[in-house]
């Protein structure tokens, strides 16, 4: 029987040079080079829940359903990430994928749905899945059950195109 993931420690947000590197895709998007990332990353525009100011963040697309017009993303820093909390307050927003903008509504997935997504993602991207789990502070044994447990522990959000 596979053992579930072990959260080794709470990972702080990147700072210093790591923050600069992590924010580089955002800068590239802002100067019109978003298409370089294909459908792998998206730019999420959101409104600060306290300040009311426009904010933006780059997120990895975990799954894309072109037929339904939806993108699934995950909050690697958990349910206390600012963008996640801001979407909880105002789920209707805009994303940019490449040079295309889409009006979307955020739907917050259940832990079971998150587990299913992570269990399907890990075999398709094994090295990246292991690295992402480590970044989020999880140690996994590589099993489907281990990745499913990680997926149940982190918040997934489906961004559904509003015009469909």
């Amino acid at each position: 029987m596979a053992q579930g993931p072990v959260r080794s420690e709470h990972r702080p947000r990147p700072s210093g040079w790591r923050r600069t590197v992590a924010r580089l895709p955002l800068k590239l998007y802002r100067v019109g080079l978003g298409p370089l990332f294909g459908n792998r990353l998206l730019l999420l525009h959101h409104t600060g829940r306290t300040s009311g100011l426009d904010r933006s963040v780059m997120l990895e697309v975990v799954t894309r359903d072109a037929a339904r017009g939806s993108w699934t993303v995950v909050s690697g820093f958990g349910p206390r990430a600012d963008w996640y909390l801001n979407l909880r307050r105002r789920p209707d927003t805009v994303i940019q994928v490449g040079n295309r903008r889409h009006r979307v509504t955020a739907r917050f997935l259940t832990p079971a749905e998150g587990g299913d997504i992570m269990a399907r993602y890990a075999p398709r991207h094994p090295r990246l899945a292991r690295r992402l789990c480590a970044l989020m502070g999880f140690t996994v044994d590589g099993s489907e059950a281990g990745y499913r447990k990680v997926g149940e522990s982190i918040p997934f959000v489906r961004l559904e195109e509003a015009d469909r």
Side-chain angles (χ1 to χ4, degrees):
M1 182 170 185
Q3 189 175 16
V6 176
R7 189 155 210 160
S8 55
E9 61 183 79
H10 174 70
R11 297 285 180 166
R13 293 180 184 166
S15 61
W17 69 269
R18 287 188 173 130
R19 185 173 194 269
T20 301
V21 169
R23 294 186 60 81
L24 183 60
L26 180 62
K27 292 179 190 309
L28 293 173
Y29 247 94
R30 286 183 177 158
V31 296
L33 297 176
L36 289 175
F37 302 106
N39 292 321
R40 193 85 180 128
L41 297 176
L42 63 77
L43 179 64
L44 171 73
H45 297 275
H46 53 103
T47 303
R49 63 195 174 284
T50 305
S51 69
L53 297 175
D54 291 333
R55 304 286 186 205
S56 55
V57 64
M58 293 294 305
L59 298 170
E60 180 191 3
V61 176
V62 178
T63 63
R64 165 77 169 117
D65 186 341
R68 291 176 140 175
S70 70
W71 297 260
T72 303
V73 295
V74 64
S75 179
F77 290 106
R80 296 186 51 156
D82 287 329
W83 70 266
Y84 183 82
L85 293 171
N86 291 343
L87 281 184
R88 280 275 191 202
R89 174 76 54 92
R90 292 185 182 98
D92 295 325
T93 191
V94 173
I95 62 170
Q96 184 177 340
V97 182
N99 283 335
R100 304 191 86 203
R101 295 171 82 84
H102 306 271
R103 285 189 354 210
V104 295
T105 300
R107 186 170 77 77
F108 300 89
L109 304 183
T110 66
E113 289 172 310
D116 289 344
I117 291 168
M118 194 67 180
R120 287 191 310 267
Y121 177 87
R124 287 194 321 260
H125 308 282
R127 293 172 68 192
L128 186 56
R130 196 174 281 280
R131 277 193 227 132
L132 287 173
C133 287
L135 178 69
M136 292 183 291
F138 290 99
T139 302
V140 292
D141 61 7
S143 69
E144 178 186 333
Y147 283 113
R148 184 175 300 280
K149 284 293 238 185
V150 169
E152 291 170 353
S153 303
I154 54 178
F156 283 84
V157 180
R158 182 157 299 133
L159 303 167
E160 298 173 340
E161 208 164 0
D163 298 337
R164 295 216 177 197

